Amino acid sequence: MRAELHQPLSALGLLLVYSTVGFLLLNVSLGRVLDWIGLRWTLGIGCFLYAASLLLVAVGSWPVVVVAAVLWGFAAGFASGAVNVYSTLRMSG
């Protein structure tokens, strides 16, 4: 990935930062998102965003890969939030 995108190895660390920012931004508003679209759609959107971000990484240039990293963070927030809420509701008590 580093050779094809012509970026230094340290630039890959930026992708981690961008995906973490996306994850944190989504998790701040996860309660509202769950109330608005529901648990099933939250998980479905998370899975769709995972696939879209991987597709962008596969076909994109460096700026597209940066956008994909943010989408990856959103996807992680959607999917892990939905699974956490589901397991809490289903397994508590």
Side-chain angles (χ1 to χ4, degrees), residues 11-75:
L12 295 178
L14 289 175
L15 296 181
L16 177 63
V17 171
Y18 293 134
S19 65
T20 302
V21 167
F23 180 81
L24 291 174
L25 286 175
L26 183 75
N27 275 309
V28 166
S29 61
L30 185 63
R32 291 183 199 186
V33 170
L34 282 168
D35 289 341
W36 186 46
I37 62 174
L39 188 60
R40 186 172 296 175
W41 278 99
T42 302
L43 184 58
I45 290 171
C47 293
F48 173 78
L49 287 178
Y50 268 129
S53 65
L54 288 175
L55 181 66
L56 286 174
V57 167
V59 299
S61 61
W62 178 248
V64 175
V65 171
V66 170
V67 170
V70 175
L71 280 180
W72 181 277
F74 285 153

Side-chain angles (χ1 to χ4, degrees), residues 34-35 38-39 81-93:
L34 282 168
D35 289 341
L39 188 60
V83 170
N84 286 339
V85 168
Y86 175 79
S87 63
T88 299
L89 294 175
R90 182 88 168 139
M91 314 252 180
S92 64

